Coordinates of all heavy atoms in Angstrom, one line a residue:
M732 N 38.5 28.0 -149.9 CA 38.2 29.4 -150.1 C 38.4 30.1 -148.7 O 37.7 29.7 -147.8 CB 36.8 29.6 -150.6 CG 36.4 31.0 -150.7 SD 34.8 31.0 -151.5 CE 34.3 32.7 -151.0
S733 N 39.3 31.0 -148.6 CA 39.5 31.6 -147.3 C 38.6 32.9 -147.2 O 38.4 33.6 -148.2 CB 41.0 32.1 -147.1 OG 41.3 33.1 -148.1
P734 N 38.1 33.1 -146.0 CA 37.2 34.2 -145.9 C 37.9 35.6 -146.0 O 39.1 35.6 -145.8 CB 36.6 34.0 -144.5 CG 37.6 33.2 -143.7 CD 38.3 32.4 -144.8
D735 N 37.2 36.6 -146.3 CA 37.7 37.9 -146.3 C 38.2 38.3 -144.9 O 37.6 37.8 -143.9 CB 36.7 39.0 -146.7 CG 36.3 38.8 -148.2 OD1 37.1 38.3 -148.9 OD2 35.2 39.2 -148.5
P736 N 39.2 39.1 -144.7 CA 39.6 39.5 -143.4 C 38.5 40.3 -142.7 O 37.7 40.9 -143.3 CB 40.9 40.4 -143.6 CG 40.8 40.8 -145.0 CD 40.0 39.8 -145.8
K737 N 38.5 40.2 -141.4 CA 37.5 40.9 -140.6 C 37.8 42.4 -140.7 O 38.9 42.8 -140.7 CB 37.6 40.5 -139.1 CG 37.1 39.0 -139.0 CD 37.2 38.6 -137.6 CE 36.8 37.1 -137.5 NZ 36.9 36.6 -136.1
P738 N 36.7 43.2 -140.7 CA 36.9 44.7 -140.8 C 37.6 45.2 -139.5 O 37.5 44.5 -138.4 CB 35.5 45.2 -140.9 CG 34.6 44.2 -140.4 CD 35.3 42.9 -140.6
P739 N 38.3 46.3 -139.6 CA 38.9 46.9 -138.4 C 37.8 47.3 -137.3 O 36.7 47.6 -137.7 CB 39.6 48.1 -138.9 CG 38.9 48.5 -140.2 CD 38.4 47.2 -140.7
L740 N 38.2 47.2 -136.1 CA 37.3 47.6 -135.0 C 37.3 49.1 -134.9 O 38.3 49.8 -135.3 CB 37.8 47.0 -133.7 CG 37.7 45.5 -133.6 CD1 38.4 45.0 -132.3 CD2 36.3 45.0 -133.6
P741 N 36.2 49.6 -134.4 CA 36.1 51.1 -134.3 C 37.1 51.6 -133.2 O 37.5 50.9 -132.3 CB 34.7 51.3 -133.9 CG 34.2 50.1 -133.3 CD 35.0 49.0 -133.9
T742 N 37.5 52.8 -133.4 CA 38.4 53.4 -132.4 C 37.7 54.4 -131.5 O 38.2 54.8 -130.5 CB 39.6 54.2 -133.1 OG1 38.9 55.2 -134.0 CG2 40.4 53.3 -133.9
A743 N 36.4 54.7 -131.8 CA 35.6 55.6 -131.0 C 34.3 54.9 -130.7 O 33.8 54.1 -131.5 CB 35.4 56.9 -131.7
L744 N 33.7 55.3 -129.6 CA 32.4 54.7 -129.2 C 31.3 55.1 -130.3 O 31.3 56.2 -130.7 CB 31.9 55.3 -127.9 CG 32.6 54.7 -126.6 CD1 32.2 55.4 -125.4 CD2 32.4 53.2 -126.5
G745 N 30.5 54.1 -130.7 CA 29.5 54.4 -131.6 C 29.9 54.4 -133.1 O 29.0 54.6 -133.9
E746 N 31.1 54.3 -133.3 CA 31.6 54.4 -134.7 C 31.1 53.1 -135.5 O 31.2 52.0 -134.9 CB 33.1 54.4 -134.7 CG 33.8 54.7 -136.0 CD 35.3 54.9 -135.9 OE1 36.0 53.8 -135.6 OE2 35.7 56.0 -136.0
P747 N 30.7 53.2 -136.7 CA 30.2 52.0 -137.4 C 31.3 51.1 -137.8 O 32.5 51.5 -137.8 CB 29.6 52.6 -138.7 CG 30.2 53.9 -138.9 CD 30.6 54.4 -137.5
I748 N 31.0 49.8 -137.9 CA 32.0 48.8 -138.3 C 31.6 48.4 -139.7 O 30.5 48.0 -139.9 CB 32.0 47.6 -137.3 CG1 32.4 48.0 -135.9 CG2 32.8 46.5 -137.8 CD1 32.2 46.9 -134.9
P749 N 32.5 48.4 -140.7 CA 32.2 47.9 -142.0 C 31.8 46.4 -141.9 O 32.3 45.7 -141.1 CB 33.5 48.1 -142.8 CG 34.3 49.0 -142.0 CD 33.9 48.9 -140.6
R750 N 30.9 46.0 -142.7 CA 30.4 44.6 -142.7 C 31.1 43.7 -143.7 O 31.6 44.2 -144.7 CB 28.9 44.6 -143.0 CG 28.1 45.4 -142.1 CD 28.2 45.0 -140.6 NE 27.6 45.9 -139.7 CZ 26.9 45.6 -138.6 NH1 26.9 44.4 -138.3 NH2 26.3 46.5 -137.9
I751 N 31.2 42.5 -143.3 CA 31.8 41.5 -144.2 C 30.7 41.0 -145.2 O 29.6 40.7 -144.7 CB 32.3 40.3 -143.4 CG1 33.4 40.7 -142.5 CG2 32.7 39.1 -144.3 CD1 33.8 39.6 -141.5
P752 N 30.9 41.0 -146.5 CA 29.9 40.5 -147.4 C 29.5 39.1 -147.1 O 30.3 38.3 -146.8 CB 30.5 40.7 -148.8 CG 31.7 41.5 -148.6 CD 32.1 41.4 -147.2
V753 N 28.2 38.8 -147.2 CA 27.7 37.5 -146.9 C 26.9 37.0 -148.1 O 26.0 37.7 -148.6 CB 26.7 37.4 -145.7 CG1 26.1 36.1 -145.5 CG2 27.5 37.9 -144.4
D754 N 27.2 35.8 -148.6 CA 26.5 35.2 -149.8 C 25.3 34.6 -149.2 O 25.3 33.6 -148.5 CB 27.4 34.2 -150.5 CG 26.8 33.6 -151.7 OD1 25.6 33.8 -151.9 OD2 27.4 32.8 -152.3
E755 N 24.1 35.2 -149.5 CA 22.8 34.7 -149.0 C 22.1 33.8 -150.0 O 20.9 33.6 -149.8 CB 22.0 35.9 -148.6 CG 22.5 36.8 -147.5 CD 21.6 37.9 -147.1 OE1 20.4 37.7 -146.9 OE2 22.1 39.1 -147.1
R756 N 22.7 33.4 -151.1 CA 22.0 32.6 -152.1 C 21.4 31.3 -151.5 O 22.0 30.7 -150.6 CB 23.0 32.3 -153.2 CG 23.3 33.4 -154.1 CD 24.2 33.0 -155.2 NE 25.5 32.7 -154.7 CZ 26.6 32.4 -155.4 NH1 26.5 32.2 -156.6 NH2 27.7 32.1 -154.7
E757 N 20.3 30.9 -152.1 CA 19.6 29.7 -151.7 C 20.6 28.5 -151.9 O 21.2 28.4 -152.9 CB 18.4 29.5 -152.5 CG 17.5 28.4 -152.0 CD 16.2 28.3 -152.8 OE1 15.7 29.4 -153.2 OE2 15.7 27.2 -152.9
G758 N 20.6 27.7 -150.8 CA 21.5 26.5 -150.9 C 22.9 26.7 -150.5 O 23.7 25.7 -150.3
G759 N 23.3 28.0 -150.3 CA 24.7 28.3 -149.9 C 24.9 28.0 -148.4 O 23.9 27.7 -147.7
P760 N 26.1 28.2 -147.9 CA 26.4 28.0 -146.5 C 25.5 28.8 -145.6 O 25.0 28.3 -144.6 CB 27.9 28.3 -146.4 CG 28.4 28.2 -147.7 CD 27.3 28.5 -148.7
F761 N 25.3 30.1 -145.9 CA 24.5 30.9 -145.0 C 23.1 30.4 -145.0 O 22.4 30.2 -143.9 CB 24.5 32.4 -145.4 CG 23.4 33.2 -144.7 CD1 23.7 33.6 -143.4 CD2 22.2 33.5 -145.3 CE1 22.7 34.4 -142.7 CE2 21.2 34.2 -144.6 CZ 21.5 34.6 -143.3
D762 N 22.5 30.0 -146.1 CA 21.2 29.5 -146.2 C 21.1 28.2 -145.4 O 20.0 27.9 -144.8 CB 20.8 29.3 -147.7 CG 19.3 29.0 -147.8 OD1 18.5 29.7 -147.2 OD2 19.0 28.0 -148.5
Q763 N 22.1 27.3 -145.5 CA 22.1 26.1 -144.7 C 22.1 26.3 -143.2 O 21.3 25.7 -142.5 CB 23.3 25.2 -145.1 CG 23.2 24.7 -146.5 CD 24.5 24.0 -146.9 OE1 25.5 24.1 -146.2 NE2 24.5 23.3 -148.0
I764 N 22.9 27.3 -142.7 CA 22.9 27.6 -141.3 C 21.6 28.3 -140.9 O 21.1 28.0 -139.8 CB 24.1 28.5 -141.0 CG1 25.4 27.7 -141.1 CG2 24.0 29.2 -139.6 CD1 26.7 28.5 -141.0
R765 N 21.0 29.1 -141.7 CA 19.8 29.7 -141.5 C 18.7 28.7 -141.3 O 17.8 28.7 -140.4 CB 19.4 30.7 -142.6 CG 18.0 31.4 -142.3 CD 17.4 31.9 -143.6 NE 17.3 30.8 -144.6 CZ 16.3 29.9 -144.6 NH1 15.4 29.8 -143.7 NH2 16.3 28.9 -145.6
H766 N 18.7 27.7 -142.2 CA 17.7 26.6 -142.1 C 17.8 25.8 -140.8 O 16.8 25.5 -140.2 CB 17.9 25.7 -143.3 CG 17.0 24.5 -143.4 ND1 15.6 24.7 -143.7 CD2 17.1 23.2 -143.1 CE1 15.0 23.5 -143.6 NE2 15.9 22.6 -143.3
I767 N 19.0 25.5 -140.4 CA 19.3 24.7 -139.1 C 18.8 25.6 -138.0 O 18.1 25.1 -137.0 CB 20.8 24.4 -139.0 CG1 21.2 23.4 -140.0 CG2 21.1 23.8 -137.6 CD1 22.7 23.2 -140.2
A768 N 19.1 26.9 -137.9 CA 18.6 27.7 -136.9 C 17.1 27.9 -136.8 O 16.5 27.9 -135.8 CB 19.3 29.1 -137.0
T769 N 16.5 27.9 -138.0 CA 15.1 28.0 -138.1 C 14.4 26.8 -137.5 O 13.4 26.9 -136.8 CB 14.6 28.2 -139.6 OG1 15.2 29.4 -140.1 CG2 13.1 28.3 -139.7
I770 N 14.9 25.6 -137.8 CA 14.3 24.4 -137.2 C 14.4 24.4 -135.7 O 13.5 24.1 -135.0 CB 15.0 23.2 -137.8 CG1 14.7 23.0 -139.3 CG2 14.7 21.9 -137.0 CD1 15.5 21.9 -140.0
A771 N 15.6 24.9 -135.2 CA 15.7 25.0 -133.7 C 14.7 25.9 -133.1 O 14.1 25.6 -132.1 CB 17.2 25.4 -133.4
V772 N 14.5 27.1 -133.8 CA 13.6 28.1 -133.3 C 12.2 27.5 -133.4 O 11.4 27.7 -132.4 CB 13.7 29.4 -134.1 CG1 12.6 30.3 -133.8 CG2 15.0 30.1 -133.7
D773 N 11.8 26.9 -134.5 CA 10.5 26.4 -134.6 C 10.2 25.3 -133.5 O 9.1 25.4 -132.9 CB 10.3 25.8 -136.0 CG 10.2 26.8 -137.1 OD1 10.0 28.0 -136.8 OD2 10.2 26.4 -138.3
L774 N 11.1 24.4 -133.3 CA 10.9 23.4 -132.3 C 10.8 24.0 -130.9 O 10.0 23.6 -130.1 CB 12.0 22.4 -132.3 CG 12.0 21.5 -133.5 CD1 13.2 20.6 -133.6 CD2 10.7 20.6 -133.6
W775 N 11.6 25.1 -130.6 CA 11.5 25.7 -129.3 C 10.2 26.4 -129.2 O 9.5 26.4 -128.1 CB 12.7 26.8 -129.2 CG 12.5 27.6 -127.9 CD1 13.0 27.3 -126.7 CD2 11.8 28.8 -127.8 NE1 12.7 28.2 -125.8 CE2 11.9 29.2 -126.4 CE3 11.1 29.6 -128.6 CZ2 11.4 30.4 -125.9 CZ3 10.6 30.8 -128.1 CH2 10.7 31.1 -126.8
S776 N 9.7 27.1 -130.2 CA 8.5 27.9 -130.2 C 7.3 27.0 -129.8 O 6.4 27.5 -129.1 CB 8.3 28.6 -131.5 OG 9.3 29.5 -131.8
V777 N 7.2 25.8 -130.3 CA 6.1 25.0 -130.0 C 6.3 24.1 -128.8 O 5.4 23.3 -128.3 CB 5.6 24.1 -131.2 CG1 5.2 25.0 -132.3 CG2 6.7 23.1 -131.6
G778 N 7.5 24.2 -128.2 CA 7.9 23.4 -127.0 C 7.4 24.0 -125.7 O 6.8 25.1 -125.7
P779 N 7.7 23.4 -124.6 CA 7.2 23.9 -123.3 C 7.8 25.3 -122.9 O 7.2 25.9 -122.0 CB 7.7 22.8 -122.3 CG 8.8 22.1 -123.0 CD 8.5 22.2 -124.5
D780 N 8.9 25.7 -123.4 CA 9.4 27.1 -123.1 C 8.9 28.1 -124.1 O 9.2 29.3 -123.9 CB 10.9 27.0 -123.0 CG 11.4 26.1 -121.9 OD1 10.8 26.1 -120.9 OD2 12.5 25.5 -122.2
G781 N 8.3 27.7 -125.2 CA 7.9 28.6 -126.2 C 6.6 29.4 -126.0 O 5.9 29.1 -125.0
P782 N 6.2 30.3 -126.9 CA 5.1 31.1 -126.7 C 3.7 30.4 -126.8 O 2.7 30.9 -126.2 CB 5.2 32.2 -127.8 CG 6.1 31.5 -128.8 CD 7.0 30.6 -128.1
Y783 N 3.7 29.2 -127.4 CA 2.4 28.5 -127.5 C 2.0 28.0 -126.1 O 0.8 27.9 -125.9 CB 2.5 27.4 -128.5 CG 2.6 27.9 -129.9 CD1 3.9 28.1 -130.5 CD2 1.5 28.2 -130.7 CE1 4.0 28.6 -131.8 CE2 1.6 28.7 -132.0 CZ 2.8 28.9 -132.5 OH 2.9 29.4 -133.8
Y784 N 2.9 27.6 -125.3 CA 2.6 27.2 -123.9 C 2.7 28.3 -122.9 O 2.3 28.1 -121.8 CB 3.6 26.0 -123.5 CG 3.3 24.7 -124.2 CD1 3.9 24.3 -125.3 CD2 2.3 23.9 -123.6 CE1 3.6 23.1 -125.9 CE2 2.0 22.7 -124.2 CZ 2.6 22.3 -125.4 OH 2.3 21.1 -126.0
N785 N 3.3 29.4 -123.4 CA 3.4 30.6 -122.5 C 2.9 31.8 -123.2 O 3.7 32.7 -123.5 CB 4.9 30.7 -122.1 CG 5.5 29.5 -121.4 OD1 5.1 29.2 -120.3 ND2 6.3 28.8 -122.1
P786 N 1.6 31.9 -123.3 CA 1.0 33.0 -124.1 C 1.3 34.4 -123.5 O 1.1 35.4 -124.1 CB -0.5 32.7 -124.2 CG -0.7 31.7 -123.1 CD 0.6 31.0 -122.9
A787 N 1.7 34.4 -122.2 CA 2.0 35.7 -121.6 C 3.3 36.3 -122.0 O 3.6 37.5 -121.7 CB 1.9 35.5 -120.0
Q788 N 4.1 35.5 -122.7 CA 5.4 36.1 -123.2 C 5.1 37.2 -124.1 O 4.2 37.1 -125.0 CB 6.2 35.0 -124.0 CG 6.9 34.0 -123.2 CD 7.7 33.1 -124.0 OE1 7.8 33.2 -125.2 NE2 8.3 32.1 -123.4
T789 N 5.8 38.3 -124.0 CA 5.7 39.4 -124.9 C 6.4 39.0 -126.2 O 7.2 38.1 -126.3 CB 6.3 40.7 -124.4 OG1 7.7 40.5 -124.3 CG2 5.7 41.1 -123.0
R790 N 6.1 39.8 -127.3 CA 6.7 39.5 -128.5 C 8.2 39.7 -128.4 O 9.0 39.0 -129.0 CB 6.2 40.5 -129.6 CG 4.8 40.1 -130.0 CD 4.2 41.0 -131.1 NE 2.9 40.7 -131.4 CZ 2.1 41.4 -132.2 NH1 2.6 42.5 -132.8 NH2 0.9 41.1 -132.4
S791 N 8.6 40.7 -127.7 CA 10.1 41.0 -127.5 C 10.7 39.8 -126.8 O 11.8 39.4 -127.1 CB 10.3 42.3 -126.7 OG 9.9 43.4 -127.4
E792 N 10.1 39.3 -125.7 CA 10.7 38.1 -125.0 C 10.8 36.9 -125.9 O 11.8 36.2 -125.9 CB 9.8 37.8 -123.8 CG 9.8 38.7 -122.6 CD 8.8 38.4 -121.6 OE1 7.7 38.0 -121.9 OE2 9.1 38.6 -120.4
T793 N 9.7 36.7 -126.7 CA 9.7 35.6 -127.6 C 10.8 35.7 -128.6 O 11.6 34.8 -128.9 CB 8.3 35.5 -128.3 OG1 7.3 35.2 -127.4 CG2 8.3 34.3 -129.3
T794 N 11.0 36.9 -129.2 CA 12.1 37.1 -130.2 C 13.4 36.9 -129.6 O 14.3 36.2 -130.1 CB 12.0 38.5 -130.8 OG1 10.7 38.7 -131.4 CG2 13.1 38.8 -131.8
R795 N 13.7 37.4 -128.4 CA 15.0 37.3 -127.7 C 15.2 35.8 -127.4 O 16.4 35.3 -127.6 CB 15.0 38.1 -126.4 CG 15.2 39.6 -126.6 CD 15.4 40.3 -125.3 NE 15.1 41.7 -125.5 CZ 13.9 42.3 -125.1 NH1 13.0 41.6 -124.4 NH2 13.7 43.5 -125.3
L796 N 14.2 35.1 -126.9 CA 14.4 33.7 -126.6 C 14.6 32.8 -127.8 O 15.4 31.9 -127.8 CB 13.3 33.2 -125.7 CG 13.2 33.8 -124.3 CD1 11.9 33.5 -123.6 CD2 14.4 33.3 -123.5
Q797 N 13.9 33.2 -128.9 CA 14.1 32.4 -130.2 C 15.5 32.6 -130.7 O 16.2 31.7 -131.1 CB 13.1 32.9 -131.2 CG 11.7 32.4 -131.0 CD 10.7 33.0 -131.9 OE1 10.8 34.2 -132.3 NE2 9.7 32.2 -132.2
M798 N 16.0 33.9 -130.6 CA 17.4 34.2 -131.1 C 18.4 33.4 -130.2 O 19.3 32.8 -130.7 CB 17.6 35.7 -131.0 CG 19.0 36.0 -131.5 SD 19.3 37.8 -131.6 CE 18.8 38.4 -130.0
R799 N 18.1 33.4 -128.9 CA 19.0 32.7 -128.0 C 19.1 31.2 -128.3 O 20.2 30.6 -128.4 CB 18.5 32.9 -126.5 CG 19.4 32.2 -125.5 CD 18.7 32.4 -124.1 NE 19.6 31.9 -123.0 CZ 19.7 30.7 -122.7 NH1 19.0 29.7 -123.3 NH2 20.6 30.3 -121.7
E800 N 17.9 30.6 -128.6 CA 17.9 29.2 -128.9 C 18.6 28.9 -130.2 O 19.4 28.0 -130.3 CB 16.4 28.8 -129.0 CG 16.2 27.3 -129.2 CD 16.6 26.4 -128.0 OE1 16.8 27.0 -126.9 OE2 16.9 25.2 -128.2
A801 N 18.4 29.7 -131.2 CA 19.1 29.5 -132.5 C 20.6 29.7 -132.4 O 21.4 28.8 -132.9 CB 18.6 30.5 -133.5
L802 N 21.1 30.7 -131.6 CA 22.5 30.9 -131.5 C 23.1 29.8 -130.7 O 24.2 29.3 -131.0 CB 22.8 32.3 -130.8 CG 22.6 33.5 -131.7 CD1 22.7 34.8 -130.8 CD2 23.5 33.5 -132.8
L803 N 22.5 29.4 -129.6 CA 23.0 28.2 -128.8 C 23.1 27.0 -129.6 O 24.1 26.3 -129.5 CB 22.1 28.0 -127.6 CG 22.3 28.8 -126.3 CD1 21.2 28.6 -125.3 CD2 23.7 28.5 -125.7
H804 N 22.1 26.7 -130.4 CA 22.1 25.5 -131.2 C 23.2 25.5 -132.2 O 24.0 24.5 -132.4 CB 20.7 25.4 -132.0 CG 20.5 24.1 -132.6 ND1 20.2 22.9 -131.9 CD2 20.5 23.8 -133.9 CE1 20.1 22.0 -132.8 NE2 20.2 22.4 -134.0
L805 N 23.4 26.7 -132.9 CA 24.5 26.8 -133.9 C 25.9 26.7 -133.2 O 26.8 26.1 -133.7 CB 24.4 28.0 -134.7 CG 23.2 28.1 -135.6 CD1 23.1 29.5 -136.2 CD2 23.2 27.0 -136.6
L806 N 26.0 27.3 -132.0 CA 27.3 27.2 -131.3 C 27.6 25.8 -130.8 O 28.7 25.3 -130.9 CB 27.3 28.1 -130.1 CG 27.4 29.6 -130.4 CD1 27.0 30.5 -129.2 CD2 28.9 29.9 -130.8
E807 N 26.5 25.1 -130.3 CA 26.7 23.7 -129.8 C 27.0 22.7 -130.9 O 27.7 21.7 -130.7 CB 25.4 23.3 -129.1 CG 25.2 24.0 -127.8 CD 23.8 23.8 -127.2 OE1 22.9 23.3 -127.9 OE2 23.6 24.2 -126.0
L808 N 26.6 23.0 -132.1 CA 26.9 22.2 -133.3 C 28.3 22.5 -133.9 O 28.8 21.8 -134.7 CB 25.9 22.4 -134.4 CG 24.5 21.8 -134.1 CD1 23.5 22.2 -135.2 CD2 24.5 20.3 -133.9
G809 N 28.9 23.6 -133.4 CA 30.2 24.0 -133.8 C 30.2 24.7 -135.2 O 31.2 24.9 -135.8
L810 N 29.0 25.2 -135.6 CA 28.9 25.9 -136.8 C 29.2 27.4 -136.7 O 29.6 28.1 -137.7 CB 27.5 25.8 -137.4 CG 27.1 24.4 -137.8 CD1 25.6 24.3 -138.1 CD2 27.9 23.9 -139.0
L811 N 29.2 27.9 -135.5 CA 29.6 29.3 -135.2 C 30.7 29.3 -134.1 O 30.7 28.4 -133.2 CB 28.4 30.1 -134.7 CG 27.3 30.4 -135.6 CD1 26.2 31.2 -134.8 CD2 27.7 31.0 -136.9
D812 N 31.6 30.2 -134.2 CA 32.7 30.3 -133.2 C 32.6 31.8 -132.7 O 32.4 32.7 -133.5 CB 34.1 30.1 -133.8 CG 34.3 28.6 -134.2 OD1 33.9 27.7 -133.5 OD2 34.8 28.4 -135.4
I813 N 32.9 31.9 -131.4 CA 32.9 33.3 -130.8 C 34.4 33.7 -130.8 O 35.2 33.0 -130.2 CB 32.3 33.3 -129.4 CG1 30.8 32.9 -129.5 CG2 32.5 34.7 -128.8 CD1 30.2 32.7 -128.1
D814 N 34.6 34.8 -131.4 CA 36.0 35.4 -131.4 C 36.1 36.3 -130.1 O 35.7 37.5 -130.1 CB 36.1 36.3 -132.7 CG 37.5 36.9 -132.8 OD1 38.3 37.0 -131.8 OD2 37.9 37.3 -133.9
T815 N 36.5 35.6 -129.0 CA 36.5 36.3 -127.7 C 37.5 37.4 -127.7 O 37.2 38.4 -127.0 CB 36.8 35.3 -126.6 OG1 38.0 34.6 -126.9 CG2 35.6 34.3 -126.4
E816 N 38.6 37.3 -128.4 CA 39.6 38.4 -128.5 C 39.0 39.6 -129.1 O 39.1 40.8 -128.6 CB 40.9 38.0 -129.2 CG 41.7 37.0 -128.4 CD 42.9 36.6 -129.2 OE1 43.4 37.3 -130.1 OE2 43.4 35.5 -128.9
R817 N 38.3 39.4 -130.2 CA 37.7 40.6 -131.0 C 36.5 41.1 -130.1 O 36.4 42.4 -130.0 CB 37.2 40.1 -132.3 CG 36.6 41.2 -133.2 CD 36.3 40.6 -134.6 NE 35.6 41.6 -135.4 CZ 36.2 42.5 -136.1 NH1 37.5 42.7 -136.0 NH2 35.5 43.4 -136.8
L818 N 35.8 40.3 -129.5 CA 34.7 40.7 -128.6 C 35.2 41.6 -127.5 O 34.6 42.7 -127.3 CB 33.9 39.5 -128.1 CG 32.6 39.8 -127.3 CD1 31.6 40.4 -128.2 CD2 32.1 38.5 -126.8
A819 N 36.3 41.2 -126.9 CA 36.8 42.0 -125.8 C 37.6 43.3 -126.3 O 37.7 44.3 -125.5 CB 37.8 41.1 -125.0
A820 N 38.1 43.3 -127.5 CA 38.9 44.4 -128.0 C 38.1 45.6 -128.4 O 38.6 46.7 -128.4 CB 39.7 43.9 -129.2
S821 N 36.8 45.4 -128.8 CA 36.0 46.5 -129.2 C 35.5 47.4 -128.1 O 35.0 46.8 -127.1 CB 34.8 46.0 -130.1 OG 34.1 47.1 -130.6
R822 N 35.5 48.7 -128.3 CA 34.9 49.6 -127.3 C 33.4 49.6 -127.4 O 32.7 49.9 -126.4 CB 35.5 51.0 -127.5 CG 37.0 51.1 -127.3 CD 37.5 52.5 -127.3 NE 36.8 53.2 -126.2 CZ 36.8 54.5 -126.1 NH1 37.4 55.2 -127.0 NH2 36.1 55.1 -125.2
S823 N 32.8 49.3 -128.5 CA 31.4 49.3 -128.7 C 31.0 48.5 -130.0 O 31.9 48.2 -130.8 CB 30.8 50.7 -128.8 OG 31.3 51.3 -130.1
W824 N 29.8 48.1 -130.0 CA 29.3 47.4 -131.2 C 28.1 48.1 -131.7 O 27.2 48.4 -130.9 CB 29.0 45.9 -130.9 CG 30.2 45.1 -130.5 CD1 30.7 44.8 -129.3 CD2 31.1 44.5 -131.4 NE1 31.8 44.1 -129.4 CE2 32.1 43.9 -130.7 CE3 31.2 44.5 -132.8 CZ2 33.2 43.2 -131.3 CZ3 32.2 43.8 -133.4 CH2 33.2 43.2 -132.6
P825 N 28.0 48.4 -133.0 CA 26.8 49.0 -133.5 C 25.5 48.2 -133.3 O 25.6 46.9 -133.5 CB 27.1 49.3 -134.9 CG 28.1 48.3 -135.3 CD 28.9 48.0 -134.0
S826 N 24.4 48.8 -133.1 CA 23.2 48.0 -133.0 C 22.4 47.9 -134.2 O 21.4 47.2 -134.3 CB 22.3 48.5 -131.8 OG 22.0 49.9 -132.1
T827 N 22.8 48.7 -135.2 CA 22.1 48.6 -136.5 C 23.1 48.1 -137.6 O 24.3 48.2 -137.5 CB 21.6 50.0 -136.9 OG1 22.7 50.9 -137.0 CG2 20.6 50.5 -136.0
R828 N 22.5 47.5 -138.6 CA 23.3 47.0 -139.7 C 23.4 48.0 -140.9 O 22.4 48.7 -141.2 CB 22.7 45.7 -140.3 CG 22.7 44.6 -139.4 CD 22.0 43.4 -140.0 NE 22.7 43.0 -141.2 CZ 22.0 42.5 -142.3 NH1 20.7 42.5 -142.3 NH2 22.7 42.2 -143.3
E829 N 24.6 48.2 -141.4 CA 24.7 49.0 -142.6 C 24.2 48.2 -143.8 O 24.4 47.0 -143.9 CB 26.2 49.3 -142.8 CG 26.8 50.2 -141.8 CD 28.3 50.5 -142.0 OE1 28.9 49.9 -142.9 OE2 28.9 51.3 -141.3
V830 N 23.6 48.9 -144.7 CA 23.0 48.2 -145.9 C 24.2 47.9 -146.8 O 25.0 48.7 -147.1 CB 22.0 49.1 -146.6 CG1 21.5 48.4 -147.9 CG2 20.8 49.3 -145.7
Q831 N 24.3 46.6 -147.3 CA 25.3 46.2 -148.2 C 24.9 46.7 -149.6 O 23.8 46.5 -150.1 CB 25.5 44.7 -148.2 CG 26.0 44.2 -146.9 CD 27.5 44.5 -146.8 OE1 28.3 44.6 -147.7 NE2 27.9 44.7 -145.5
E832 N 25.9 47.3 -150.3 CA 25.7 47.7 -151.7 C 26.2 46.6 -152.6 O 27.2 46.0 -152.3 CB 26.4 49.1 -151.9 CG 26.0 50.1 -151.0 CD 25.1 51.1 -151.6 OE1 25.0 51.2 -152.8 OE2 24.5 51.9 -150.8
G833 N 25.6 46.5 -153.7 CA 26.1 45.5 -154.7 C 25.5 44.3 -154.7 O 25.3 43.3 -155.0

């Protein structure tokens, strides 16, 4: 099964980017990747760099570091790839997600 093509990049700063539909069903590929990332985050959270050993971490710091750990883990496993050409080609990236209909 080939993935849908990536949406076009915006031509103006701040312009929204249409989203690619993601199948979030339980047991599907997204759910499997989410599960792997969750395990990595849970282990980091109770480890020496996590908030349990560093209670002075703010909630924002904890969230950013958990996200960093999950992304690094998925990248190191080869489950995610960074499209460096697309990353460099865009003038901006939206910070909010458009709600998927359907």
Side-chain angles (χ1 to χ4, degrees):
M732 178 177 160
S733 68
D735 292 336
K737 293 179 182 179
L740 293 173
T742 56
L744 287 174
E746 189 175 73
I748 297 175
R750 303 300 174 145
I751 298 170
V753 175
D754 181 355
E755 297 182 50
R756 287 182 289 183
E757 187 174 330
F761 171 79
D762 190 49
Q763 292 172 346
I764 289 173
R765 182 206 50 79
H766 181 72
I767 293 165
T769 300
I770 291 170
V772 166
D773 287 348
L774 291 173
W775 175 87
S776 294
V777 298
D780 296 324
Y783 290 93
Y784 284 96
N785 302 290
Q788 280 182 10
T789 66
R790 289 181 183 173
S791 294
E792 289 171 324
T793 298
T794 299
R795 285 186 199 103
L796 291 167
Q797 287 172 326
M798 183 176 49
R799 181 182 188 280
E800 186 68 18
L802 288 171
L803 275 173
H804 192 70
L805 294 173
L806 286 163
E807 291 167 349
L808 291 174
L810 295 171
L811 297 180
D812 294 314
I813 298 174
D814 184 340
T815 54
E816 288 180 23
R817 184 172 174 81
L818 188 61
S821 180
R822 295 189 60 194
S823 68
W824 293 98
S826 58
T827 58
R828 292 179 59 220
E829 292 178 353
V830 177
Q831 292 288 325
E832 305 255 346

